[in-house]
Amino acid sequence: MTDVGLFYVGAVLIVNGIMLLGRISARAAAPLNLCVGTLQVVIPTVLIVTTDGGGAAIAGAAGLYLFGFTYLWVGINAATGWPPEGLGWFSLFVAVAAVGFAARTWYDGGRLFVVFWLAWAGLWLLFFLVLALGRTELTRFTGAVAITEGVLTAAVPAGLALAGLWIDSAAAALAATALGGTVVAALWLVTRPASIDASTPARQG
């Protein structure tokens, strides 16, 4: 994924997370989704056309299309009022594919982006649960995770790369994994549905 594209992926994940938290409407988020989705479709197409068509170029383009199609679909659904179930099932496809891209990244020598790909797999799995299976009790948690990943797996890494400050290492990947796990656990505690708390049996004193 290009640094510029990743930077704007951060922006759209943050905005979509705010949408899932109910702070803005889907129609209000539609323009950014359409713009970033178009960017994430045009860039890989240009990469394929202008390179020798090698395996690395094709694999990189395939990853970009996953996100581009997602954001275009979000924007189109918001503009048309189409139901979200189709996008939800596509999100499951993206989640599974992201695990494969994590493995490919590991094979290519990347470490931090292995963590990022797995984080994106988890987020798109949440999209599947909310949009396709109707698990609306997970909506706030999904929104919070989207905002967090928009910052930590997209906007900040892209900003560091654009500034020439990006460093990838196994130690950094381990630190990112520990930080990510801690943050996700904290987000769940803050956003978990009240019904889950209410269903927990009270202790007998």
Side-chain angles (χ1 to χ4, degrees):
M1 186 177 295
T2 66
D3 298 332
V4 172
L6 185 62
F7 188 72
Y8 287 101
V9 164
V12 77
L13 283 177
I14 292 168
V15 169
N16 286 343
I18 295 170
M19 175 186 68
L20 289 169
L21 290 177
R23 299 298 183 180
I24 60 175
S25 68
R27 288 180 65 85
L32 182 61
N33 277 280
L34 292 171
C35 289
V36 176
T38 301
L39 180 70
Q40 296 295 87
V41 169
V42 170
I43 287 178
T45 302
V46 171
L47 290 175
I48 291 174
V49 171
T50 58
T51 63
D52 60 3
I58 299 299
L64 291 175
Y65 283 133
L66 290 173
F67 300 109
F69 293 158
T70 297
Y71 304 133
L72 283 176
W73 204 329
V74 171
I76 292 171
N77 277 2
T80 62
W82 289 348
E85 290 85 1
L87 174 59
W89 283 101
F90 176 69
S91 296
L92 178 61
F93 176 85
V94 175
V96 174
V99 175
F101 278 100
R104 171 64 186 256
T105 301
W106 179 274
Y107 176 79
D108 289 340
R111 291 298 178 261
L112 267 172
F113 268 89
V114 172
V115 179
F116 294 169
W117 274 111
L118 293 176
W120 296 332
L123 178 58
W124 261 254
L125 180 61
L126 287 172
F127 291 154
F128 163 70
L129 294 173
V130 172
L131 299 175
L133 301 187
R135 297 289 301 275
T136 55
E137 74 275 10
L138 297 175
T139 301
R140 292 182 67 246
F141 176 62
T142 302
V145 172
I147 294 171
T148 302
E149 291 197 13
V151 174
L152 297 181
T153 70
V156 170
L160 291 173
L162 290 169
L165 300 175
W166 176 254
I167 298 175
D168 190 6
S169 67
L174 287 173
T177 301
L179 174 63
T182 301
V183 170
V184 168
L187 292 176
W188 173 250
L189 290 175
V190 171
T191 64
R192 62 183 174 178
S195 59
I196 292 180
D197 294 336
S199 65
T200 303
R203 286 190 175 184
Q204 298 296 320

